[in-house]
Amino acid sequence: QCCRVNAQSCHNNGQGRFEVTTNIQLKPPLAIIMAALGVHSATLHPYTLVARWQPLAMGPKPAKEWRRWRPSDPPRASRSMFPRVNASMDTATVDCTTARDLSNVLSLNNIRQTLIRLEDTIIFGLIERAQFARNSAVYEEPGVEVPGCSRPGCSLLEYILRETEQIHGRIRRYTSPDENAYFPEALPSLLLPPITYEQVLAPCAASINLNESILKLYLEHLMPEITEPGDDGNYGSAAMYDVMILQALSKRIHYGKFVAESKFLSQTEKYTRLIHAHDSEGLMAAITDAVVEAKVIQRVARKAAIFGQDVGAAGDVIVGTDSEAAEQNAKVRPQAVAQLYKDWVMPLTKKVEVDYLLRRLED
């Protein structure tokens, strides 16, 4: 079911391996049949696949020798949505276990689905954070003494956010084009080998980072909306959920780079004219869709009301989604989530889009 093969020849090359030359019509799950045959290399030509493999050995597998990755080691193939692909004019060498079709990476539908999933992550994070008091000591300098902090007088939130980025940075989270660190200058060296991603965005994308504004809006505007005043002593738990929400907000807002690239490719002539004129207001008008924005605000408010319900043992809903009680008794107020998106998430996302588009043609 993976492909239709018409074998032209099959012979033993004298080195314990077999070589087959075929005319092949590829279908998407080619990697399955290649892995089943034990293929260790493959060269794709316009109409011919030359594959070499050796029979799978029976018996116990030899023990592997594990060691730390060294800078001299070659990069490994990506398993993300931006895989590594090496190609020349007439042939392409592809790792059949990792290569993926990139044709829909920048499709508006694919981007829209990613943004919808991030809505769920943000709302569930807000629900978790709302169970604790505001705990202002987490954010004051120094509200909680942190002996191991990188600078004197830093807050507990800054310390946990920095340390989280240290761990995630070592396993190459921030080498991905859709991730942006809050402290990019402090990122550590990699523990895992680096990945070379497919170039989807313009080079200017790496320098666009609004995390400072995101952190400010979270502490000054969102925190008072989702938490009750007071101090319950749950500093670690509160800060842990703060970090989760901040990372999700950052990814959601900076995904505007992909939205902008998709829109640029769909209407290149229009956006090129606005970019050459340095018309930021024209770009903002071009990317704005008030109807879609209203639907997003309505959707996140509805989600917050639904996710914040209590369901009884018999499956009965204790907090309704359409009544005034839903706003008052929900785990996080739906109106607060709607206001977050209306006043901050969507405006900052559009700022990312405009900043990206203004620099889209630099190179």
Side-chain angles (χ1 to χ4, degrees), residues 35-48:
L37 293 174
V39 172
H40 63 84
S41 69
T43 304
L44 296 180
H45 298 278
Y47 302 103
T48 303

Side-chain angles (χ1 to χ4, degrees), residues 145-320:
E145 185 177 354
V146 187
C149 195
S150 59
R151 68 176 183 83
C154 74
S155 68
L156 179 63
L157 175 63
E158 178 184 338
Y159 171 74
I160 296 178
L161 184 54
R162 278 180 176 268
E163 291 302 305
T164 300
E165 290 191 345
Q166 290 290 304
I167 296 173
H168 293 181
R170 288 190 178 93
I171 55 175
R172 65 193 177 200
R173 173 175 184 171
Y174 298 105
T175 64
S176 177
D178 59 352
E179 295 285 356
N180 294 266
Y182 280 83
F183 303 101
E185 73 286 349
L187 290 177
S189 57
L190 294 177
L191 175 66
L192 297 176
I195 295 176
T196 302
Y197 291 95
E198 183 72 10
Q199 189 72 30
V200 174
L201 300 175
C204 66
S207 61
I208 298 174
N209 190 322
L210 298 188
N211 279 337
E212 185 176 346
S213 298
I214 296 171
L215 181 59
K216 182 177 179 180
L217 87 86
Y218 182 77
L219 296 178
E220 296 181 3
H221 299 278
L222 184 57
M223 188 62 59
E225 290 290 332
I226 66 170
T227 59
E228 295 294 332
D231 190 318
D232 59 14
N234 290 299
Y235 299 155
S237 297
M240 179 183 69
Y241 287 118
D242 288 333
V243 169
M244 185 178 72
I245 297 168
L246 286 168
Q247 290 178 328
L249 284 172
S250 175
K251 186 168 186 176
R252 166 61 176 84
I253 289 169
H254 288 103
Y255 226 84
K257 301 174 189 178
F258 295 92
V259 177
E261 179 66 18
S262 177
K263 291 177 179 178
F264 176 84
L265 294 178
S266 64
Q267 300 183 67
T268 303
E269 184 178 346
K270 173 183 177 179
Y271 283 102
T272 299
R273 184 176 66 255
L274 292 170
I275 293 169
H276 285 315
H278 301 284
D279 187 355
S280 57
E281 293 183 0
L283 287 170
M284 181 63 75
I287 65 174
T288 299
D289 189 329
V291 175
V292 171
E293 291 180 9
K295 289 181 179 178
V296 171
I297 295 170
Q298 184 180 15
R299 183 174 65 239
V300 296
R302 180 72 172 169
K303 282 184 177 181
I306 294 173
F307 297 166
Q309 295 179 108
D310 285 326
V311 180
D316 54 312
V317 177
I318 299 174
V319 178

